[in-house]
Amino acid sequence: GAGVSQSPSNKVTEKGKDVELRCDPISGHTALYWYRQSLGQGLEFLIYFQGNSAPDKSGLPSDRFSAERTGGSVSTLTIQRTQQEDSAVYLCASSFTRGYTFGSGTRLTVV
Amino acid sequence: EDQVTQSPEALRLQEGESSSLNCSYTVSGLRGLFWYRQDPGKGPEFLFTLYSAGEEKEKERLKATLTKKESFLHITAPKPEDSATYLCAVQARPYNFGNEKLTFGTGTRLTIIP
């Protein structure tokens, strides 16, 4: 597709369950980012992938969060043992040179 | 630590009423300042990148300007379709292993009333 695709668009989960969020970047984009957007707060950087290099995980808020990128393309963000404070919109962006293209995000609600 | 503060939090304007949105920033070394537009339920959409003080960029009814401490997004004769949240972000220099991460402000929610 022409844009960054994220799935699911909405996810409601029970506290303590694990969730997986998926991102399909634009074909040919080597850089991929995950951000989190909480109500009333700015976008918060989570993790960065560049090609086959080791990811920059410096923004992950706890060890319950992890992400992988397979074949330099699709990425999955996993949140284990979800907590209510994990409720937010999770945005993925991809980039080739400068400037990002964002997906529409996954709205995660932990009940 | 890089910081971005946007004001006002919300702004309501009549159609045709021009105004400006402010973005104040502190960054160790500015590589770029970005403006994005975000509509409800969608991801941010890129508008402009500014790289050095004194630079200006325009797109339709929007013009972005940059000084060493702040950026303004001027909107001239806005239309209802300009209603959205406008986000400002900075990218610092040097960056870690090519990580061009952005530090975002919380945005200005703009409403244009017909």
Side-chain angles (χ1 to χ4, degrees):
Chain A
V4 177
S5 177
Q6 292 189 245
S7 60
S9 55
N10 281 284
K11 176 73 175 178
V12 180
T13 190
E14 293 181 353
K15 179 181 172 181
K17 295 282 179 74
D18 297 352
V19 295
E20 286 189 354
L21 313 180
R22 178 186 168 105
C23 173
D24 278 286
I26 292 173
S27 177
H29 280 195
T30 55
L32 187 148
Y33 299 80
W34 283 97
Y35 282 80
R36 177 169 71 176
Q37 188 172 31
S38 303
L39 198 61
Q41 299 193 16
L43 277 76
E44 173 191 7
F45 166 76
L46 297 177
I47 188 168
Y48 160 73
F49 294 91
Q50 173 63 265
N52 294 319
S53 302
D56 179 346
K57 305 178 183 180
S58 59
L60 294 179
S62 79
D63 58 9
R64 296 186 296 105
F65 288 71
S66 63
E68 63 177 19
R69 189 177 184 192
T70 55
S73 181
V74 172
S75 178
T76 301
L77 177 69
T78 301
I79 308 173
Q80 295 179 310
R81 305 181 302 282
T82 51
Q83 304 294 312
Q84 288 186 330
E85 60 263 28
D86 299 334
S87 296
V89 176
Y90 290 82
L91 290 160
C92 175
S94 70
S95 169
F96 179 61
T97 52
R98 284 187 173 176
Y100 296 174
T101 301
F102 280 91
S104 292
T106 294
R107 179 174 298 278
L108 176 66
T109 304
V110 182
V111 298
Chain B
E1 184 179 332
D2 304 334
Q3 287 192 328
V4 177
T5 303
Q6 292 188 247
S7 62
E9 288 187 10
L11 182 62
R12 289 169 64 89
L13 299 172
Q14 294 290 328
E15 184 173 359
E17 180 185 1
S18 301
S19 188
S20 296
L21 314 183
N22 178 263
C23 170
S24 298
Y25 65 92
T26 55
V27 63
S28 53
L30 183 68
R31 185 166 187 261
L33 184 138
F34 296 73
W35 283 97
Y36 284 85
R37 169 190 171 128
Q38 187 173 25
D39 293 297
K42 295 191 175 181
E45 175 188 347
F46 172 77
L47 293 174
F48 304 109
T49 309
L50 302 167
Y51 297 103
S52 58
E55 188 175 1
E56 299 183 351
K57 288 194 176 172
E58 289 189 64
K59 180 180 179 179
E60 296 181 356
R61 294 176 292 282
L62 299 176
K63 182 169 82 171
T65 61
L66 181 65
T67 73
K68 288 186 177 181
K69 293 184 178 181
E70 57 192 350
S71 177
F72 292 93
L73 185 65
H74 307 278
I75 182 161
T76 302
K79 299 181 178 182
E81 54 262 40
D82 296 321
S83 297
T85 296
Y86 290 85
L87 300 171
C88 173
V90 295
Q91 190 175 69
R93 180 182 55 222
Y95 53 101
N96 186 27
F97 301 112
N99 182 354
E100 299 186 341
K101 73 173 184 179
L102 299 179
T103 300
F104 282 85
T106 54
T108 294
R109 189 172 66 255
L110 178 66
T111 304
I112 308 301
I113 304 161

